[in-house]
Amino acid sequence: MKVVKNIHNNISLCIDSKGNEVVAFGKGIGFMKPPYEVPIQKVERTFYNINPIYIDMLSQIPEEAINVSSQIIDYANKNLKGSFNENLIFTLADHITFSIKRLQENIHLDLPLIHEVKHMYPKEIQIGEYALKLIKEKLNVELPKQEAAVITLHVVDYGLKSCISTGESNQEKIERCTQIIEEYNGLKIDREGFNYSRFVSHMYYLLDRIANNTEVKTKNKKIFNQLVKEYPKTYDCAKKACRALEINPNDEELLYLILHINRLSSREEKQ
């Protein structure tokens, strides 16, 4: 197996003997400068058909979080007898990293109540509860108990889907949305960058939730009002983007869209 790009010390992007792209896990396989051949016996785990946006994302996520996420999905597959899409490992790792960062920065969101999720998903809640124990054990971080509900919903909402819908109409909508953000803020967005990949991923999920009437419903009205007050221009930009997407999201979804647009805009260069 040929290593073409190192992601972490123990994670690399490779090409197998049949020319297929694969993300490989193995102790120390990412130490040398690519390209080079790595003995197959050093490869502990492989992931095929990984969405390219998640490959770009991996270098921004701590390796420890990826390993924990991998164990969580293994647990889910074993105990729920599921067949969860492998891309979920990387989106879940990104979510865990973001949740830990929120905790460290003392940002508290009013998350879905765990007893409500237990009622809706009595079996699946085991995933979230196991995840919190594993995160505490492996990462030495004790996330709020309600995070078990969020992780459960993340797995339920995204995990059993073979891929995110990438229909041409959605692509066109997101491109128009991107152009609005660029024009409104007078900047040029790097469409090959990690921040844009995360933004596009969020947009696909947003469109999917609205299409299936599964919008996020929490009690973050106070935070939403605070964001609108602190970032009126970003709020206005988000509303323009929604019109481009031909959607009318609730305040909770709009809250997250404001956060994504603000994060994306603040990391791009002004024209």
Side-chain angles (χ1 to χ4, degrees):
M1 187 171 291
K2 185 177 182 179
V3 174
V4 294
K5 179 181 180 181
N6 288 326
I7 299 171
H8 289 289
N9 290 339
N10 303 305
I11 305 175
S12 296
L13 180 63
C14 304
I15 302 296
D16 69 9
S17 59
K18 296 182 180 180
N20 298 312
E21 193 173 70
V22 54
V23 173
F25 285 35
K27 189 174 182 179
I29 66 172
F31 276 115
M32 295 176 60
K33 184 178 180 180
Y36 59 91
E37 294 290 331
V38 61
I40 195 66
Q41 59 267 26
K42 291 194 67 175
V43 177
E44 300 170 2
R45 186 166 185 171
T46 56
F47 298 91
Y48 284 85
N49 301 317
I50 300 301
N51 191 316
I53 69 172
Y54 300 136
I55 293 175
D56 292 336
M57 180 190 296
L58 286 179
S59 62
Q60 306 291 328
I61 303 174
E63 185 176 337
E64 295 80 6
I66 298 172
N67 289 331
V68 165
S69 179
S70 179
Q71 292 179 58
I72 293 170
I73 301 307
D74 284 346
Y75 173 89
N77 281 325
K78 179 180 178 181
N79 289 272
L80 298 181
K81 297 180 180 180
S83 181
F84 292 95
N85 177 16
E86 291 184 334
N87 284 299
L88 176 62
I89 290 175
F90 308 117
T91 63
L92 180 58
D94 182 54
H95 171 79
I96 291 170
T97 301
F98 188 58
S99 297
I100 292 174
K101 184 178 179 181
R102 279 206 320 264
L103 181 68
Q104 292 171 339
E105 295 178 353
N106 202 31
I107 298 175
H108 301 287
L109 297 180
D110 193 358
L111 304 170
L113 296 178
I114 193 165
H115 69 266
E116 294 176 347
V117 178
K118 280 185 176 181
H119 177 71
M120 293 186 294
Y121 304 105
K123 293 182 179 180
E124 290 82 356
I125 191 64
Q126 299 174 37
I127 303 172
E129 293 171 342
Y130 173 79
L132 292 195
K133 292 179 182 178
L134 195 64
I135 290 168
K136 183 177 180 180
E137 176 187 342
K138 301 294 185 179
L139 304 181
N140 197 30
V141 176
E142 188 168 1
L143 291 175
K145 290 182 179 180
Q146 289 185 337
E147 274 289 348
V150 181
I151 290 173
T152 298
L153 291 175
H154 185 98
V155 173
V156 170
D157 285 346
Y158 309 144
L160 292 174
K161 298 172 184 177
S162 61
C163 63
I164 304 171
S165 172
T166 56
E168 183 65 25
S169 61
N170 281 354
Q171 290 182 10
E172 291 176 347
K173 289 179 181 180
I174 294 175
E175 177 58 27
R176 280 190 281 119
C177 172
T178 302
Q179 291 174 3
I180 286 173
I181 296 172
E182 289 180 323
E183 293 171 3
Y184 191 94
N185 294 285
L187 52 82
K188 182 63 177 177
I189 294 173
D190 178 11
R191 285 163 172 73
E192 301 298 322
F194 167 72
N195 292 313
Y196 185 66
S197 294
R198 177 182 281 181
F199 171 77
V200 169
S201 178
H202 174 78
M203 291 298 100
Y204 278 125
Y205 286 138
L206 174 61
L207 290 172
D208 183 73
R209 288 196 296 272
I210 290 178
N212 291 285
N213 196 29
T214 57
E215 290 179 84
V216 173
K217 295 178 181 178
T218 62
K219 298 179 180 179
N220 291 318
K221 185 68 176 179
K222 184 177 180 180
I223 297 178
F224 172 75
N225 291 334
Q226 182 180 342
L227 281 179
V228 170
K229 183 177 180 180
E230 291 184 9
Y231 304 105
K233 290 186 64 177
T234 307
Y235 172 56
D236 186 55
C237 183
K239 290 193 296 182
K240 290 179 180 294
C242 288
R243 286 194 289 272
L245 291 170
E246 300 177 2
I247 58 174
N248 184 29
N250 61 27
D251 288 348
E252 286 82 0
E253 292 286 6
L254 198 54
L255 182 156
Y256 288 105
L257 181 56
I258 291 171
L259 289 174
H260 274 277
I261 291 176
N262 187 63
R263 182 185 296 118
L264 178 64
S265 301
S266 65
R267 285 164 170 75
E268 301 292 339
E269 295 183 0
K270 300 287 184 179
Q271 288 184 321

